[in-house]
Amino acid sequence: MFNLENIVRPNVLKMKAYSSARDEFKGAASVFIDANENNLGSLAGEGYNRYPDPHQKKLKEKIADIKGLSPKQIFLGNGSDEAIDLLFRMVCRPGQDSMLHLRPTYGMYEVSANLNEVQLDAVQLTPDFQIPVLEVLRQVKDTTKLIFICSPNNPTGNLIEPESIETLLDNFDGLVVVDEAYIDFADVPSWSTRLAEYPNLVILQTFSKAWGMAGLRLGMAFASEEIIALLDKIKPPYNINEATQELALKALEQTEQLAYMIEEIVQEREMLVQALPSLDAVEKVYPSDANFLLVKVRNANRLYSYLLEQGIVVRNRSSLPGCEGCLRISVGTVDENQLLFQAISNFK
Ligand SMILES: Cc1ncc(COP(=O)(O)O)c(C=O)c1O
């Protein structure tokens, strides 16, 4: 049976969160000399001399509205990379605990595990990039606190079958983290709609992909109120800066434009899926539910260098087990996709 208290690090359970000047005084006042800010003003623009809201109240309310969640089920991080790191620090005791992920996948799970001195167990995805569930359950140990699942998966682009995720949620007593960085490009509901069923489910989403805000660094974690309260307790107090909070609030008013952008990217993705296999250099285009394609090519290293010479940078994934001979290509603008197509068709 999953019991959050059993898996959270004892020091995290015991500790108190940092209490900021903004936490200690709430109400109306005209002179704020409680936070050692510069009261003369800011060289960056009006208002930036003040610390931002550490609880991101307005932003969480707006996101909660859009996602159909309560603000208390939402954690905001400096990119979802911050949420990944905090999940490790919340449950994994350095030098003692372990995590499991499915390969090939997003590299930061491994980096965070290494940084936090957490043992990393990895299970290879099947040839069609699905989870071999029984093998995963066999690998789970008493010390396994986290299982990371990326769906749609980076770099393979596919969604993970929901039944596999359900089986892991039902049979694993640690946290199952479903990273949905690319979910806006897939035609399926988010796992956030299943939070009420699974107390051990954590979902990650980000503003870096469909929302086009990678430079602002804003990621989300959705989970039970208890898990979110713990993440909030251990985060740096002002982890979301004021500019990001303001700009994200503006962006959240533009859900119609978001839908247009997603539609255009998905259309271009499907155009590339149709067009690329006609090229001599291309052996296979894997199906994608994301904003990128995994493409198996003849001589990946040479094609990668050749594209660089043409001024086109793709991601060479050919050395990853399971992705041999593959390049990962983000869907660009119509013009960029045409340039890419032309360039690959001229590759000898
Ligand atoms: C699967 C996945 N998760 C998380 C991230 C990081 O997102 P963020 O920019 O919110 O830190 C990426 C970035 O490429 C990603 O591919």
Side-chain angles (χ1 to χ4, degrees):
M1 265 284 283
F2 173 76
N3 180 339
L4 184 59
E5 290 211 350
N6 287 349
I7 64 158
V8 175
R9 284 170 61 182
N11 63 309
V12 168
L13 281 178
K14 249 191 273 157
M15 68 177 266
K16 280 209 173 85
Y18 175 72
S19 177
S20 73
R22 293 288 171 269
D23 287 320
E24 285 173 18
F25 171 80
K26 287 200 179 73
S30 54
V31 180
F32 285 94
I33 45 178
D34 58 345
N36 303 342
E37 296 153 337
N38 183 343
N39 281 23
L40 303 189
S42 167
L43 298 174
E46 206 187 322
Y48 294 126
N49 55 331
R50 300 295 180 189
Y51 281 100
D53 173 9
H55 308 294
Q56 307 106 20
K57 198 163 170 290
K58 281 192 203 146
L59 197 48
K60 281 187 176 180
E61 274 166 12
K62 189 74 198 160
I63 294 170
D65 245 18
I66 290 175
K67 301 285 178 186
L69 296 167
S70 141
K72 290 188 167 172
Q73 292 174 300
I74 300 173
F75 167 82
L76 296 180
N78 192 295
S80 35
D81 285 344
E82 183 178 40
I84 292 169
D85 182 61
L86 288 177
L87 285 164
F88 277 99
R89 292 207 258 165
M90 181 174 114
V91 298
C92 295
R93 293 164 301 173
Q96 295 183 53
D97 289 327
S98 53
M99 75 83 133
L100 189 149
H101 74 172
L102 286 305
R103 276 192 185 137
T105 196
Y106 181 49
M108 279 306 287
Y109 315 137
E110 179 163 353
V111 170
S112 273
N114 289 336
L115 174 63
N116 289 291
E117 208 191 340
V118 170
Q119 195 197 314
L120 180 83
D121 294 318
V123 172
Q124 190 72 19
L125 290 168
T126 62
D128 58 348
F129 303 132
Q130 291 298 328
I131 300 181
V133 180
L134 293 181
E135 177 58 20
V136 170
L137 289 174
R138 259 197 299 274
Q139 295 261 351
V140 166
K141 307 179 285 216
D142 287 347
T143 54
T144 311
K145 297 288 184 71
L146 294 166
I147 296 179
F148 277 90
I149 297 166
C150 189
S151 179
N153 187 39
N154 175 7
T156 60
N158 61 296
L159 284 160
I160 301 296
E161 285 162 0
E163 296 75 20
S164 313
I165 299 177
E166 277 163 11
T167 306
L168 295 177
L169 282 162
D170 284 331
N171 292 284
F172 173 59
D173 290 339
L175 297 180
V176 175
V177 184
V178 182
D179 186 343
E180 293 187 334
Y182 300 97
I183 193 67
D184 296 314
F185 305 103
D187 204 8
V188 295
S190 162
W191 277 87
S192 62
T193 55
R194 311 285 302 272
L195 273 178
E197 290 167 65
Y198 298 109
N200 56 340
L201 171 61
V202 179
I203 297 122
L204 301 178
Q205 290 188 9
T206 178
F207 282 86
S208 297
K209 308 299 174 185
W211 289 91
M213 290 161 54
L216 290 180
R217 312 306 300 130
L218 186 59
M220 300 166 270
F222 309 136
S224 69
E225 291 186 12
E226 293 75 17
I227 293 173
I228 297 300
L230 286 165
L231 287 172
D232 276 335
K233 177 158 109 170
I234 64 175
K235 78 180 179 69
Y238 304 111
N239 62 331
I240 311 297
N241 71 70
E242 180 62 24
T244 296
Q245 294 196 41
E246 284 169 10
L247 290 168
L249 274 168
K250 264 199 214 158
L252 285 160
E253 295 299 332
Q254 302 174 59
T255 45
E256 237 174 72
Q257 284 89 328
L258 172 74
Y260 287 135
M261 277 211 286
I262 292 171
E263 201 181 306
E264 187 166 334
I265 291 167
V266 169
Q267 259 173 27
E268 280 298 295
R269 177 186 79 199
E270 292 314 305
M271 184 283 291
L272 286 171
V273 168
Q274 295 299 319
L276 287 175
S278 68
L279 301 176
D280 272 355
V282 173
E283 286 180 12
K284 178 173 182 171
V285 179
Y286 287 90
S288 171
D289 290 291
N291 65 343
F292 59 84
L293 294 170
L294 188 70
V295 183
K296 192 172 169 86
V297 295
R298 252 190 318 110
N299 209 331
N301 290 334
R302 254 190 59 226
L303 178 55
Y304 174 77
S305 306
Y306 162 83
L307 287 173
L308 271 185
E309 284 162 19
Q310 313 297 307
I312 299 174
V313 193
V314 299
R315 192 94 144 110
N316 188 352
R317 300 278 76 182
S318 59
S319 63
L320 285 185
C323 296
E324 290 82 1
C326 288
L327 302 179
R328 193 196 68 193
I329 303 176
S330 307
V331 176
T333 63
V334 172
D335 288 351
E336 288 168 342
N337 298 333
Q338 241 152 31
L339 280 175
L340 171 84
F341 187 84
Q342 270 310 322
I344 303 181
S345 60
N346 292 333
F347 176 66
K348 301 271 178 318

